[in-house]
Amino acid sequence: MGREFESVSGYSFYRAVQLAKEKEKGRFHLENKFTFAKEIVRDAGEYILQHMKEDLHVERKSSPTDLVTKLDKDVQALLIEKIRSRYPDDLFCAEEGCMRAAVGQGCVWIIDPIDGTNNFVAQGEDFAVMLAYFEDGVGKFGIIYDVMKGDCYHGGGDFQPCRNDEPLPAFKRNL
């Protein structure tokens, strides 16, 4: 068997096998990125726990309730450094600073190093590290790590929604 065999759709058997291999390679690559992302989000949470009792150097951004801390900036830098070391061509849209790649620009990581900075500053809880990944405008996965509770919610795209690697039950709407 070879390229001379054509299927009804016009694709050769050879081309169908090549497409299947490319899809599998892409899936493997995405699974590696997803696993890596979960690891670095947990690392970021550990970094926050180690440094949250230090002077936070709280600053206002656009309003009195729009805050940023030194730890926000440090955690974002840590995440970007880790991602860049593994995926140097990927882009970022990050909460702190001026990294604003559009999600349709290829491989883009969305980062909010401490979502809920007001809660973090005021009570030291009810905040999360958030990370999402897009390819050409399509969301591939997202991760929300509740640092104080140690709960990691992750999934989206081809990945089942989970809490700490345990599948979440399907949403049931009561009418």
Side-chain angles (χ1 to χ4, degrees):
M1 281 197 274
R3 295 182 185 193
E4 67 276 2
F5 291 97
E6 297 290 323
S7 69
V8 174
S9 67
Y11 281 101
S12 69
F13 177 75
Y14 174 81
R15 180 67 181 139
V17 169
Q18 293 304 316
L19 288 172
K21 285 180 181 178
E22 289 173 18
K23 184 176 180 181
E24 184 62 30
K25 183 180 175 186
R27 173 72 182 163
F28 179 73
H29 178 70
L30 190 58
E31 286 175 3
N32 284 341
K33 260 188 177 174
F34 185 52
T35 300
F36 169 74
K38 289 189 290 183
E39 289 170 9
I40 66 170
V41 165
R42 287 189 182 274
D43 290 348
E46 186 60 36
Y47 185 89
I48 291 169
L49 290 172
Q50 291 172 359
H51 296 278
M52 66 187 290
K53 299 298 182 193
E54 297 171 6
D55 186 1
L56 296 176
H57 302 283
V58 181
E59 301 171 23
R60 274 196 261 168
K61 293 193 293 186
S62 63
S63 73
T65 59
D66 188 14
L67 305 178
V68 63
T69 68
K70 178 183 181 307
L71 202 48
D72 281 282
K73 295 173 185 177
D74 291 348
V75 170
Q76 179 171 296
L78 175 79
L79 289 167
I80 290 171
E81 177 184 317
K82 287 181 181 237
I83 294 167
R84 273 203 178 127
S85 71
R86 179 87 57 102
Y87 305 104
D89 297 328
D90 287 6
L91 303 172
F92 301 91
C93 181
E95 175 83 10
E96 312 311 335
C98 57
M99 299 183 112
R100 297 283 187 245
V103 294
Q105 286 184 282
C107 299
V108 180
W109 296 84
I110 311 298
I111 300 172
D112 191 343
I114 300 178
D115 183 60
T117 301
N118 286 342
N119 293 340
F120 173 72
V121 169
Q123 52 192 348
E125 57 186 287
D126 296 328
F127 64 92
V129 177
M130 299 179 74
L131 184 66
Y133 176 71
F134 284 75
E135 287 182 356
D136 299 319
V138 178
K140 297 296 182 178
F141 58 79
I143 303 165
I144 302 169
Y145 182 52
D146 183 329
V147 175
M148 300 311 289
K149 292 180 182 161
D151 287 331
C152 186
Y153 296 89
H154 52 82
D158 292 335
F159 300 100
Q160 182 174 8
C162 293
R163 177 180 157 264
N164 300 327
D165 296 321
E166 293 294 322
L168 291 169
F171 177 74
K172 292 181 182 173
R173 188 174 182 180
N174 296 329
L175 298 176

